[in-house]
Amino acid sequence: MMIEMGSSNTLIQSMVPDHLRGRVMSVYSMVFMGMAPFGSLLAGAAADRVGAPWTVAAGGVICVCAAGVFWSFLPRIRIGARRLIVAQQMAAGDPPQEMTGGSLELEPSK
């Protein structure tokens, strides 16, 4: 969790233009920390209805499904993020072909 938080914070601050950084970080903080009480309320209500073991199992299934969706979009996200960082002149050039898993195009070939 600490690695994820540090990595996310670093990437967001690297990719966002200077004049928007404060606004973006405030929205990120609100979403990251402010949604936890709502998730806890939802999990508590679900545990009250169907039981804690089923609620935890459903949460695990949802997390695995969300990870699968994220994994399928990761090559395109990585390319777009790299281009934003290069546009900010914080790194040099496009990533190597082997990092992207294929073409450097954002849209699939027709």
Side-chain angles (χ1 to χ4, degrees), residues 8-103:
S8 296
N9 191 9
T10 301
L11 283 173
I12 289 171
Q13 290 195 32
S14 297
M15 291 188 290
V16 174
D18 290 339
H19 67 282
L20 295 175
R21 188 166 294 137
R23 293 177 186 171
V24 170
M25 289 308 297
S26 66
V27 169
Y28 170 73
S29 297
M30 181 186 68
V31 168
F32 191 74
M33 299 300 246
M35 291 295 155
F38 294 113
S40 297
L41 181 64
L42 180 64
D48 186 50
R49 300 267 185 204
V50 298
W54 285 104
T55 302
V56 172
V61 168
I62 290 169
C63 286
V64 168
C65 291
V69 170
F70 177 75
W71 180 75
S72 70
F73 283 102
L74 189 58
R76 285 191 279 170
I77 292 170
R78 182 179 294 146
I79 293 167
R82 178 74 177 182
R83 287 187 178 152
L84 285 173
I85 292 171
V86 169
Q88 293 279 333
Q89 298 176 349
M90 300 181 123
D94 282 327
Q97 191 81 7
E98 60 271 5
M99 276 184 64
T100 62
S103 167

